[in-house]
């Protein structure tokens, strides 16, 4: 890779009790084509792997001492494999899907709360915006409801066993 | 109707099922069939099939049509066959019961009801097997809970094939003495395939998904889960395939029974560990009434196993088989069925009513559809009646049994009324009951999504 890494150290943000997600996404949006992002964090940022995976980045992580981690997200030549998509998604990956506007964690909610929270988030999106949600299991009922409302989704299981779904709000959703 | 994930006819199956349950409990209170009459009497056959086909099998079919697609994350195949299946099952069961009524002499007719039932029921079950089987087949490799269901469905096939054979004998079409002798010998196989395979093994499989889901317990597959599946499958295979073969070859089924008994015990012990694990490692500290009352059903399952061992050890199995079957059918299976309906019916009702406006309008919670504090005592009464009934059967006290049966009937009726109230969203404050864009769910007919 001829282009140098872009470095982002989110440890100060984390130390101040802040949420580094938006900073990371801004940095990703500013990457040159083919450029990698080197992220320094005070923990292994596993949730990011799938979010950036959906954008075609492959993570390589290593512990750099003191509990800190360095992760290099390299844009993959081929799209990262995504287990499932809604029928309406017919593009390749990493095309016109925006960086998720929000990320919500529903892993500890009992059914049907994960679906309620996710749909609430989706309803707040403008057409074309995306939302990323962590769910305790594969959301069969949610898939159907998203389809009925004209939204698109991509999702898959993460190594920890939960399900991550990224939803893009459609314009033909029934409002 | 939200999407196609809600099985259109599941509520209709459930409705038919609870009607047959109430009818069966009324018969027991009235002293119809066992224990007031002999276990072999046609009255007892009528009662047993009202419970096993009318209540338990319709309940299981309705639940599987809803949950198999969820278990394998695939839509149900050939959904169009579900309504004909339900109609065949209802008509077939009615004919079968009329046939038994004919055997009692109460119904004098030339219509071969037993035979009609013996044909319609296999068609109905066959259609259910086809849709569920095809759905499972398309989803290979199957996750573990679905593998339990696959074995359970195989046992359903074995149960109704034997049942059809019996219906032909009872209606006089087969009069060969060897066959009639064979019938008495494979009757326990029919019962084991039905209670042990189709109903119990399937219920265990579904519980592996439902319990963690409702209690937020870890549901990653563990070694014990696999041991339950393997040992349970070996037990069932040994009883369904091994026992009849051993009968024909050796005249008894001693070896097959020992293998089946030992494997079943291994399965039950490991299942016990898994149940303990789910309750112990749940993330929800306060468990809901459905998971609480299910403990009564699990207790009944282990009590049944203990009773079976005790009856075998004391050589009194033949005298008290009725008590054991009652404990399995009404303690374990009915107890689990009622406790899970208590969650599933409000959950499906909630999805049906509020799904379309979810995320757009404030909606009540699923818990708001029920009043647990009011309903808890009914489950206590149910299990108290069940225990009393088992004791009454063991003590050969038919009149005491009728009193305890009245307790279970009262409790069941109260729980069913609560389920109807949930369908009507009665417990939700009227002001927030139907936000704009929702439609009132039908009691048991499917809704059509109105947009």
């Amino acid at each position: 890779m001829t282009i140098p890494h872009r470095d982002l150290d989110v440890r100060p943000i984390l130390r101040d009790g802040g949420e580094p997600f938006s900073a990371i996404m801004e940095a990703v949006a500013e990457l040159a084509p083919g450029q990698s992002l080197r992220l320094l964090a005070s923990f292994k940022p596993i949730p990011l792997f799938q979010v950036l995976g959906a954008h075609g980045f492959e993570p390589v992580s290593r512990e750099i001492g003191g509990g800190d981690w360095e992760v290099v997200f390299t844009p993959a030549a081929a799209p990262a494999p995504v287990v499932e998509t809604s029928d309406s998604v017919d593009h390749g990956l990493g095309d016109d899907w925006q960086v998720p506007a929000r990320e919500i964690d529903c892993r500890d909610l009992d059914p049907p709360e994960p679906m309620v929270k996710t749909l609430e988030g989706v309803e707040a999106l403008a057409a074309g915006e995306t939302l990323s949600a962590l769910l305790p299991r594969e959301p069969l009922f949610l898939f159907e409801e998203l389809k009925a409302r004209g939204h698109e989704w991509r999702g898959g299981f993460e190594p920890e066993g939960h399900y991550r779904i990224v939803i893009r709000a459609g314009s033909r959703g029934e409002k | 109707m939200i999407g196609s994930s809600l099985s259109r006819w599941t509520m209709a199956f459930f409705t038919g099922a609870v009607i047959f349950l109430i009818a069966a409990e009324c018969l027991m209170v009235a002293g119809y069939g066992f224990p007031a009459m002999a276990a072999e009497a046609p009255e007892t056959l009528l009662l047993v099939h009202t419970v096993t086909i009318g209540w338990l099998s319709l309940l299981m079919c309705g639940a599987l049509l809803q949950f198999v697609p969820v278990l394998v994350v695939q839509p149900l195949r050939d959904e169009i066959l579900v309504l004909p299946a339900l109609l065949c099952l209802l008509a077939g069961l009615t004919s079968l019961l009329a046939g038994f009524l004919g055997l009692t002499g109460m119904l004098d007719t030339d219509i071969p009801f037993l035979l009609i039932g013996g044909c319609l029921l296999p068609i109905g079950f066959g259609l259910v097997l086809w849709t569920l089987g095809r759905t499972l087949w398309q989803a290979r490799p199957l996750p573990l809970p679905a593998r339990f269901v696959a074995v359970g469905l195989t046992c359903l096939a074995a149960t109704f094939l034997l049942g059809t054979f019996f219906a032909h004998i009872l209606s006089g079409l087969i009069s060969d003495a060897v066959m009639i002798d064979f019938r008495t010998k494979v009757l326990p196989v029919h019962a084991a395939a039905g209670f042990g395979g189709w109903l119990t093994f399937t219920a265990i499989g579904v519980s592996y998904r439902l319990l963690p889901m409702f209690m937020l317990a870890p549901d990653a597959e563990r070694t014990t889960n696999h041991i339950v599946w393997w040992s349970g499958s070996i037990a069932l295979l040994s009883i369904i395939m091994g026992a009849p073969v051993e009968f024909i070859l050796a005249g008894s089924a001693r070896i097959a029974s020992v293998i089946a008994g030992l494997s079943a015990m291994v399965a039950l012990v490991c299942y016990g560990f898994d149940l303990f694990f789910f309750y112990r490692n749940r993330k929800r500290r306060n468990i809901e009434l459905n998971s609480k009352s299910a403990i009564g059903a699990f207790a009944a399952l282990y009590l049944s196993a203990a009773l079976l061992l005790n009856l075998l050890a004391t050589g009194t199995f033949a005298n008290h088989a009725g008590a054991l079957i009652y404990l399995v059918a009404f303690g374990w299976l009915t107890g689990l069925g009622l406790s899970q309906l208590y969650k599933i019916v409000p959950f499906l009702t909630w999805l049906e009513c509020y799904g379309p406006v979810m995320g757009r309008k404030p909606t009540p919670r699923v818990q708001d559809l029920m009043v647990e504090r009011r309903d808890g005592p009914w489950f206590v009464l149910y299990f108290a009646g069940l225990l009393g009934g088992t004791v009454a059967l063991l003590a050969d006290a038919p009149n005491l049994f009728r009193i305890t049966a009245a307790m279970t009937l009262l409790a069941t009726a109260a729980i069913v009324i609560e389920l109807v109230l949930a369908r009507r969203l009665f417990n939700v404050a009227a002001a927030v009951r139907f936000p704009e864009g929702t439609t009132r769910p039908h009691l048991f007919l499917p809704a059509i999504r109105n947009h």
Side-chain angles (χ1 to χ4, degrees), chain B residues 12-36:
Chain B
F13 273 86
F14 287 170
T15 306
V18 294
I19 290 173
F20 280 111
L21 171 62
I22 300 262
E25 289 181 338
C26 287
L27 289 177
M28 292 192 293
V29 174
Y32 191 87
F34 186 82

Side-chain angles (χ1 to χ4, degrees), chain B residues 238-316:
Chain B
S238 158
I239 216 71
I240 294 168
M241 304 295 292
V245 171
E246 202 185 336
F247 269 133
I248 293 166
L249 296 179
S252 84
R254 193 171 291 271
I255 301 169
S257 308
V258 170
I259 294 174
L262 290 178
S263 326
M265 288 299 156
V266 171
L268 278 179
V269 168
C270 288
Y271 183 52
F273 280 118
D274 290 335
L275 288 174
F276 193 69
F277 176 83
F278 289 142
Y279 279 87
R280 181 91 188 267
N281 292 291
R282 66 180 196 271
K283 281 191 197 152
R284 288 191 116 176
R285 274 1 280 175
N286 292 324
I287 53 174
E288 292 175 309
L289 185 53
N290 59 302
S291 303
K292 237 183 264 179
S293 47
I295 296 174
F298 298 130
L301 173 65
Y302 286 92
L303 217 53
S304 309
L307 181 61
L308 172 65
L309 288 179
N310 190 277
L311 294 181
L312 290 176
T314 53
T316 52

Side-chain angles (χ1 to χ4, degrees), chain B residues 74-405:
Chain B
Q74 291 267 338
L76 192 68
R77 308 282 155 166
D78 302 324
E79 202 180 351
I80 196 156
L81 300 177
V82 173
L83 180 60
L86 175 63
L87 296 177
C88 281
L89 288 175
L90 290 176
L93 177 58
T94 312
S95 295
L96 187 75
L97 298 181
F100 289 138
L101 217 50
L103 291 181
T104 67
M106 278 253 312
L107 188 71
D108 191 14
T109 167
D110 288 337
I111 306 172
F113 278 122
L114 274 181
L115 201 61
I116 297 172
C119 293
L120 281 178
L121 282 172
I123 294 175
F125 280 126
L127 291 175
V128 172
L129 271 176
W130 173 264
T131 56
L132 293 175
R134 230 168 82 77
T135 307
L136 289 172
W137 186 258
Q138 305 274 347
R140 286 164 302 145
L142 293 177
L144 189 67
R147 266 183 275 154
F148 277 89
V149 176
V151 173
L153 289 175
T154 313
C155 291
L156 169 63
T159 311
F160 74 61
L161 284 178
L162 284 171
T164 309
F165 167 65
F166 295 161
H168 279 75
I169 291 183
L170 288 174
S171 50
L173 278 186
I174 301 173
S175 51
D176 183 25
V178 179
M179 281 305 192
I180 294 171
D181 180 48
F182 190 63
R183 171 187 171 247
T184 25
K185 293 217 167 111
V186 292
L187 190 59
V189 176
H190 178 63
F195 279 115
W198 159 230
L199 296 167
T200 294
F201 208 59
T202 311
I204 287 177
V206 175
S207 77
Y208 273 119
R209 193 69 195 263
L210 281 193
L211 286 177
M213 193 162 107
F214 289 137
M215 291 195 292
L216 292 181
D219 65 351
E221 289 178 12
R222 300 171 334 119
T223 316
T224 40
N225 307 162
H226 289 272
I227 299 177
V228 174
W229 187 81
W230 276 107
S231 51
S233 301
I234 289 169
L236 290 166
L237 187 72
S238 158
I239 216 71
I240 294 168
M241 304 295 292
V245 171
E246 202 185 336
F247 269 133
I248 293 166
L249 296 179
S252 84
R254 193 171 291 271
I255 301 169
S257 308
V258 170
I259 294 174
L262 290 178
S263 326
M265 288 299 156
V266 171
L268 278 179
V269 168
C270 288
Y271 183 52
F273 280 118
D274 290 335
L275 288 174
F276 193 69
F277 176 83
F278 289 142
Y279 279 87
R280 181 91 188 267
N281 292 291
R282 66 180 196 271
K283 281 191 197 152
R284 288 191 116 176
R285 274 1 280 175
N286 292 324
I287 53 174
E288 292 175 309
L289 185 53
N290 59 302
S291 303
K292 237 183 264 179
S293 47
I295 296 174
F298 298 130
L301 173 65
Y302 286 92
L303 217 53
S304 309
L307 181 61
L308 172 65
L309 288 179
N310 190 277
L311 294 181
L312 290 176
T314 53
T316 52
F317 179 78
N319 305 335
H320 293 307
L324 180 68
I325 289 178
Y326 180 72
L327 189 56
V328 170
F330 283 89
W332 154 236
L333 294 169
T334 303
L336 188 71
L338 284 176
S339 66
Q340 294 315 298
L341 276 185
Y342 189 79
K343 181 75 186 186
I344 294 167
V345 169
F347 188 75
L348 296 182
T349 306
W350 188 95
L351 278 179
E352 197 179 329
C353 186
Y354 300 113
V357 301
M358 215 187 311
R360 296 174 181 161
K361 301 264 167 57
T363 55
R365 301 169 311 155
V366 177
Q367 297 94 304
D368 298 336
L369 269 58
M370 305 306 272
V371 186
E372 290 201 354
R373 213 151 31 98
R374 186 173 70 205
D375 303 337
W378 295 120
F379 282 100
V380 175
L381 180 70
Y382 180 84
F383 285 109
L386 173 272
L387 263 186
T390 310
V391 172
L393 290 178
L394 288 171
D396 290 322
N399 286 329
L400 178 63
F401 178 77
R402 290 174 62 178
I403 296 170
T404 61

